Amino acid sequence: MTDHRELSAGLRAAVRGEVDFTATARALTTMDASNYRRVPLGVVAPRDADDVAAALSVCRAYGVPVVPRGGGTSIAGQATGTGVVLDFTRHMNRLLSLDPQARTAVVQPGLVLDRLQEAAAPHGLRFGPDPSTHSRCTLGGMIGNNSCGSHSVAWGTTADSVRELAVVTPGGERLRPGRGGAGAPAGLRDLVDGELARLRTGFPDLPRRISGYAVDALLPEKGADVARSLCGSEGTLAVLTEAVVDLVRAPRARALAVLAYADERGAAQAAAGLLPYRPLTVEGMAADLVPFGADLPRGGAWLFVETGGDTEAEARAGAETIVRAADVLDSLVVTDPARQRALWRVREDASGTATRMPDGTEAWPGWEDCAVPPARLGAYLRDFRALMADHGLRGTPYGHFGDGCIHVRIDFDLLTAPGVARFRRFSEELADLVVAHGGSLSGEHGDGRARAELLPRMYGAETVALFERVKALWDPDDLLNPGMLVRPAPLDAGLRFSVLPREPVDVAFGYPADGGDFPAAVRRCVGVAKCRTTSVSGPAVMCPSFRATGEEQHSTRGRARLLHEMLAGELVTDGWRSTEVRDALDLCLSCKGCRSDCPVGVDMATYKAEFLYHHYAGRRRPAAHHTMGRLPEWLGWVGRTRSAGAVNALASVGPLADVAKRLGGIAGEREIPRVAGETFTRWWRGRGGPLGEGKPVVLWPDTFTEHLSPSVGRAAVRVLEAAGLRVVLPPTLRLTGRPVGDARSRSALSLLTARRGRVCCGLTYISTGRLDRARTVLRRTLDLLEPVLATDAPLVVLEPSCAAALRTDAPELLHDDPRAARLAARVLTFAETLERHAPDWTPPVLDRPVTGQTHCHQHAVLGEDPDRRLRAAAGLTGDLAGGCCGLAGNFGFEKGHYEVSRACAEDRLLPSVREAPEGAVVLADGFSCRTQLEQLAGVRGRHLAEVLAAALENT
């Protein structure tokens, strides 16, 4: 039995990169994007090929397996292992060179595909294969799995783009496999010469044959290509340290033809007929995977067919030719790049959205990418659907129809023994069906744990025995990724769900989308790792802490993995008291970006609040949870005692402020915001309350508007009244001069008047995990708002984070109180209010550009379209940046968070302001965003209401 401490010490002495045997490092690599889980001993992040060789030498001495790992997005389980995981993403992640004339690049295995594409683009070049995970998958992983992507009909698989590899064998030999037999281990040529007949006849001729080892690439008539034969070997033969890859000429212009069909079978039958027109893509998907409101032509299934050309006109002409040749219900041709990207996002997100059926039922990979000859795809889908029906299963196929490759997530029951048994029976029968149609069990993502056991059904026992001989030549000690491809583990063993608790977990939130089941909420993360994307265009937010740190534990996926292991109790053994989970969640900004940007809707902000609630139950909390978590209470006291001046004066005295920050757990680099001398509601009372006779709208006096930015509230009143609306505050709501509602409502109104200003969304309590207090505050708020809920008056909330808390957190936390859902339905943003309740009002026209950032909660929960339309009507041109400002309420003020907070701001917000045109209006609807701009850039951001109010004053 291996002594883990000796192994760890041996690795630390031998390699210069990081060696991490902690529970956190192990938990983060127990899973990839598959159904499988294997617990490693530790993780090594090698710095170079010497480190790789040294790590292999130590592991060989201890008899410990080694698993190379890239982005961890493999869908068949091959990026998991029980030994030592080699993580190439930390150091061996560079583009070493790019030769535009030769159209080649030299890359390290941890290089993310998008980084290569960005470097090649200025030369008019690109790497041909592009999986939907292109923003986070690595070249090493792509070579290991022989990945393909949507453009494979034009540019083939990764193997078609590999010229030469540099590898370290398990025995420590360094080879450079290439063409003409270069870099082959001893004995490989003799093996090929002895099996020529089998190699020439035993491998299906398919564009997407990924299953098994590509031993037929070693045939002399195929160039004896050793590098190609290693593609798709799933890290089982040698460890890649470098690759020379071919690049292709990218078309200068592209057009996207979206062809609509009645159903998926119609689309599948049509796909092969489009190949003679030499399209760049022929992708297919059905209506079940399309989000509501997607801009697609009418139909039940679609083909996305991309064409290229030197000019837009040429690309469009190619697309229109395909439209004319296709027999479709409807069609759409798009040449605008932004609109094309939006449409492609619908397709790319299918790998995540497919994990939930339309009724919310979970669906899983396992048969993610079978491939058949393209001409047989329609018939195969018919038989595939029939087989699912026979087993009582459901799934929605989509994928690379032009290559006959189908992705599908199926609603397997992988939680019970009968469900797992059905999974096995279905897998065996589907393997036979794929073979009957002349197909490959894997058409893109490899065999891994999911399909390797079934390879004899595709190849026969003798060819599988040949694979074992190949493995023995490269890896005689079975050191590399054992259990994959040859001598595999059973396909129904090691499922990641088996370790999760079967009994309900007692939680505070309702988790309505997961049936109240916290483990089901955690299971949402299937590992597609969109949260690991480092370059994002457009409004996306997720995941700011990963983008700032580059560390897996600070990604949404990493945190979900740790929560999974917390529930499993094997690696993370302290349950809710876990320090590993606490530390990973510490840098979660609760931006809620994952709620919208994650394809499966993981909501880490809610999971964090839940964890903090349990973690600190009956324990001493950090000081920041009291200073900032109870902010409404402290500011309420300042407002009641009219002591803002004294508080501001004390905060301006450096030594006193330093002491206060130290005691309060506040970052020393931060300035304490000034409290307003006059609260918003005091100003409101001084002006005499509501004016006008228009439709009443209730303006929510959130803590930030009330005490820190009352100018925003005053501006909103000015604009809403100019739009013909009658603004009231919750304590004084009247309709036509009379109290609203019945006697009970009038009684509640009296209480509300007596408790003026005490309505609260509970945001600060939720973000610090004080959920009992948040419930109390929200229930009191609901009691006070009964007169409002008895009317049809909307609630206008100016602070996006408060609006998001009322719209989502309140009904999920008070899932037993129907009033919370009624309140949530009333919440409107400033722009939504004007659009819905003053549709004929025309704002003043400013004719100025804008800069700044859409609030992360606005993006994730509330929606941005009304704001865009209002800005456009006001002549405010340009788009706001995405991302997160990095302050995120209490996060950026907490001690130890300042550098990450600044890094988040430098990601998108601060550059967008620096690069803005002269005279641009800096928009920032959130108090946190405005504070971050002021403290880090010396720039004053303004709420949209303030900008419009100022324009009204000048007209």
Side-chain angles (χ1 to χ4, degrees):
M1 184 174 179
T2 302
D3 187 313
H4 298 175
R5 288 172 296 183
E6 286 187 15
L7 174 63
S8 175
L11 287 167
R12 291 177 193 280
V15 306
R16 291 177 295 111
E18 291 82 2
V19 176
D20 195 342
F21 275 52
T22 64
T24 295
R26 298 168 67 201
L28 293 173
T29 48
T30 55
M31 292 173 277
D32 49 16
S34 72
N35 296 328
Y36 298 96
R37 172 183 177 271
R38 293 195 294 176
V39 180
L41 300 176
V43 180
V44 173
R47 290 188 176 274
D48 51 28
D50 290 341
D51 267 4
V52 171
L56 286 171
S57 176
V58 172
C59 290
R60 186 171 62 253
Y62 282 90
V64 170
V66 175
V67 180
R69 181 177 169 110
T73 56
S74 297
I75 292 180
Q78 60 266 55
T80 66
T82 57
V84 169
V85 173
L86 296 181
D87 176 11
F88 290 99
T89 63
R90 187 170 300 183
H91 301 300
M92 297 181 68
N93 57 10
R94 292 177 294 150
L95 170 62
L96 299 178
S97 65
L98 192 151
D99 187 337
Q101 283 70 43
R103 297 186 188 176
T104 60
V106 182
V107 302
Q108 291 184 313
L111 178 68
V112 170
L113 175 58
D114 270 3
R115 302 292 81 73
L116 174 58
Q117 304 292 38
E118 289 164 3
H123 306 286
L125 302 173
R126 58 164 290 141
F127 189 69
D130 57 345
S132 61
T133 54
H134 53 82
S135 63
R136 58 269 191 200
C137 70
T138 65
L139 270 296
M142 292 179 67
I143 291 168
N145 291 343
N146 194 10
S147 301
C148 307
S150 61
H151 289 88
S152 58
V153 293
W155 297 316
T157 71
T158 296
D160 295 311
S161 296
V162 169
R163 181 171 294 192
E164 182 180 85
L165 303 176
V167 303
V168 180
T169 70
E173 188 177 6
R174 303 194 192 199
L175 301 175
R176 295 196 70 88
R179 297 163 186 170
L188 188 60
R189 170 48 55 196
D190 292 341
L191 182 150
V192 170
D193 289 343
E195 295 285 352
L196 291 176
R198 183 176 306 284
L199 295 179
R200 286 173 174 144
T201 61
F203 290 78
D205 185 16
L206 289 168
R208 288 295 194 95
R209 174 178 52 81
I210 308 299
S211 282
Y213 290 135
V215 193
D216 58 323
L218 299 170
L219 285 167
E221 61 266 30
K222 293 187 177 182
D225 194 337
V226 182
R228 187 184 184 98
S229 75
L230 287 175
C231 293
S233 60
E234 302 181 14
T236 62
L237 301 182
V239 179
L240 176 71
T241 60
E242 193 176 295
V244 182
V245 297
D246 291 321
L247 305 175
V248 297
R249 180 68 61 188
R252 290 189 175 90
R254 301 188 191 199
L256 178 62
V258 183
L259 311 179
Y261 297 85
D263 52 38
E264 70 194 9
R265 189 179 173 200
Q269 289 175 326
L274 304 179
L275 299 180
Y277 296 94
R278 302 181 65 83
L280 300 175
T281 68
V282 183
E283 298 288 290
M285 64 187 304
D288 286 350
L289 294 175
V290 176
F292 177 77
D295 183 18
L296 294 175
R298 61 182 181 86
W302 297 267
L303 292 179
F304 285 36
V305 184
E306 189 177 68
T307 57
D310 288 334
T311 65
E312 180 182 313
E314 184 178 335
R316 175 178 281 276
E320 290 174 345
T321 297
I322 286 175
V323 170
R324 288 192 296 270
D327 182 15
V328 297
L329 292 177
D330 197 1
S331 64
L332 175 70
V333 174
V334 178
T335 56
D336 174 62
R339 194 175 177 195
Q340 287 185 50
R341 285 194 298 271
L343 288 167
W344 275 120
R345 275 196 294 272
V346 174
R347 162 61 185 88
E348 291 177 356
D349 283 351
S351 61
T353 55
T355 63
R356 294 280 162 154
M357 302 300 293
D359 63 1
T361 304
E362 294 170 301
W364 305 107
W367 286 96
E368 180 68 15
D369 62 335
C370 298
V372 299
R376 298 189 63 114
L377 182 59
Y380 166 72
L381 279 176
R382 177 199 62 212
D383 294 343
F384 171 74
R385 285 286 193 184
L387 183 62
M388 281 201 300
D390 288 346
H391 286 270
L393 297 170
R394 296 175 299 158
T396 302
Y398 67 99
H400 314 293
F401 282 22
D403 273 332
C405 181
I406 293 301
H407 299 317
V408 63
R409 302 291 176 103
I410 300 173
D411 65 338
F412 297 119
D413 167 17
L414 299 178
L415 302 176
T416 68
V420 172
R422 181 170 59 168
F423 167 63
R424 165 170 281 282
R425 290 193 302 273
F426 176 83
S427 298
E428 293 169 344
E429 292 179 31
L430 181 55
D432 292 338
L433 177 62
V434 171
V435 172
H437 280 276
S440 172
L441 302 184
S442 172
E444 179 164 18
H445 295 297
D447 299 306
R449 297 286 295 273
R451 289 176 288 274
E453 183 191 353
L454 303 172
L455 285 176
R457 295 171 182 258
M458 175 179 170
Y459 284 111
E462 292 182 350
T463 299
V464 170
L466 174 63
F467 293 159
E468 294 180 4
R469 291 165 58 196
V470 171
K471 168 76 168 173
L473 287 174
W474 283 96
D475 183 17
D477 297 321
D478 203 19
L479 189 73
L480 294 181
N481 215 0
M484 301 296 159
L485 289 180
V486 300
R487 296 181 292 278
L491 63 86
D492 53 353
L495 295 171
R496 66 186 178 99
F497 317 98
S498 62
V499 295
L500 292 178
R502 292 292 180 265
E503 298 300 319
V505 175
D506 185 26
V507 286
F509 283 96
Y511 303 99
D514 299 290
D517 184 354
F518 184 68
V522 171
R523 287 199 304 268
R524 278 183 173 269
C525 179
V526 293
V528 295
K530 192 176 179 182
C531 51
R532 285 178 54 94
T533 301
T534 56
S535 61
V536 178
S537 60
V541 173
M542 180 182 71
C543 175
S545 50
F546 174 78
R547 291 164 64 80
T549 66
E551 296 182 13
E552 173 78 9
Q553 70 170 333
H554 299 307
S555 70
T556 305
R557 180 179 73 171
R559 294 175 179 123
R561 292 292 181 256
L562 283 162
L563 286 168
H564 187 284
E565 294 303 328
M566 180 193 82
L567 292 171
E570 178 182 345
L571 269 176
V572 179
T573 57
D574 294 336
W576 293 112
R577 302 296 197 196
S578 164
T579 56
E580 296 90 352
V581 178
R582 181 201 64 197
D583 292 347
L585 288 171
D586 181 55
L587 292 188
C588 172
L589 287 85
S590 298
C591 68
K592 289 190 178 287
C594 48
R595 186 179 178 114
S596 61
D597 294 347
C598 172
V600 291
V602 168
D603 185 359
M604 194 53 63
T606 298
Y607 304 171
K608 176 181 180 179
E610 185 78 63
F611 175 83
L612 292 176
Y613 171 61
H614 295 280
H615 185 76
Y616 288 109
R619 306 170 81 188
R620 182 178 178 182
R621 285 177 167 270
H625 286 199
H626 297 287
T627 54
M628 289 173 281
R630 298 174 62 184
L631 192 65
E633 299 171 41
W634 304 130
L635 290 177
W637 176 83
V638 171
R640 288 192 301 275
T641 59
R642 304 198 177 196
S643 55
V647 170
N648 292 334
L650 291 173
S652 65
V653 178
L656 292 177
D658 290 343
V659 171
K661 285 186 282 189
R662 187 165 58 252
L663 293 175
I666 298 172
E669 300 90 339
R670 288 292 179 186
E671 297 176 20
I672 298 175
R674 292 181 62 83
V675 182
E678 181 183 49
T679 65
F680 170 62
T681 53
R682 190 172 297 131
W683 168 84
W684 172 263
R685 292 195 298 272
R687 81 190 284 267
L691 302 175
E693 294 297 329
K695 177 179 177 58
V697 294
V698 182
L699 187 60
W700 182 271
D702 64 82
T703 296
F704 304 99
T705 300
E706 171 75 354
H707 298 285
L708 300 171
S709 294
S711 61
V712 173
R714 296 194 296 266
V717 171
R718 173 75 174 92
V719 176
L720 293 170
E721 290 181 342
L725 299 172
R726 184 169 183 256
V727 181
V728 296
L729 266 60
T732 55
L733 179 66
R734 295 290 191 276
L735 289 177
T736 63
R738 295 189 301 274
V740 292
D742 55 17
R744 183 184 178 198
S745 297
R746 289 194 292 274
S747 174
L749 177 62
S750 300
L751 175 62
L752 187 59
T753 304
R755 301 282 295 278
R756 184 184 301 274
R758 294 300 299 275
V759 292
C760 179
C761 67
L763 172 67
T764 62
Y765 305 108
I766 293 170
S767 65
T768 53
R770 300 183 66 217
L771 300 185
D772 283 342
R773 178 61 179 161
R775 279 201 199 95
T776 299
V777 166
L778 284 168
R779 290 195 194 280
R780 183 191 67 206
T781 293
L782 289 170
D783 291 341
L784 300 180
L785 286 177
E786 293 237 2
V788 175
L789 297 178
T791 75
D792 63 353
L795 278 166
V796 187
V797 186
L798 301 174
E799 174 62 40
S801 55
C802 295
L806 290 169
R807 194 174 283 183
T808 60
D809 294 325
E812 292 175 13
L813 191 57
L814 298 183
H815 48 89
D816 56 345
D817 190 333
R819 297 177 302 167
R822 298 209 310 270
L823 171 62
R826 295 287 186 84
V827 171
L828 296 181
T829 66
F830 174 71
E832 285 175 329
T833 303
L834 290 171
E835 185 170 86
R836 296 187 193 182
H837 298 288
D840 298 328
W841 180 68
T842 302
V845 178
L846 288 88
D847 286 328
R848 292 177 64 185
V850 296
T851 188
Q853 187 175 57
T854 299
H855 194 286
C856 51
H857 289 180
Q858 180 100 34
H859 166 80
V861 175
L862 307 171
E864 307 162 73
D865 290 344
D867 290 78
R868 288 198 187 99
R869 289 189 286 267
L870 179 57
R871 293 199 303 266
L876 296 170
T877 59
D879 292 322
L880 302 184
C884 177
C885 74
L887 194 64
N890 58 292
F891 175 86
F893 273 94
E894 289 187 19
K895 184 179 179 181
H897 291 174
Y898 179 77
E899 292 303 326
V900 170
S901 176
R902 174 184 280 276
C904 291
E906 287 287 358
D907 182 40
R908 301 179 74 179
L909 174 60
L910 298 185
S912 72
V913 173
R914 294 189 195 109
E915 298 162 7
E918 186 176 352
V921 175
V922 181
L923 286 178
D925 281 2
F927 175 77
S928 291
C929 305
R930 295 193 296 273
T931 303
Q932 189 80 309
L933 282 167
E934 180 181 352
Q935 295 199 358
L936 298 186
V939 173
R940 180 173 181 262
R942 293 189 290 169
H943 194 287
L944 181 56
E946 293 181 287
V947 174
L948 296 181
L952 287 172
E953 296 298 331
N954 294 329
T955 56

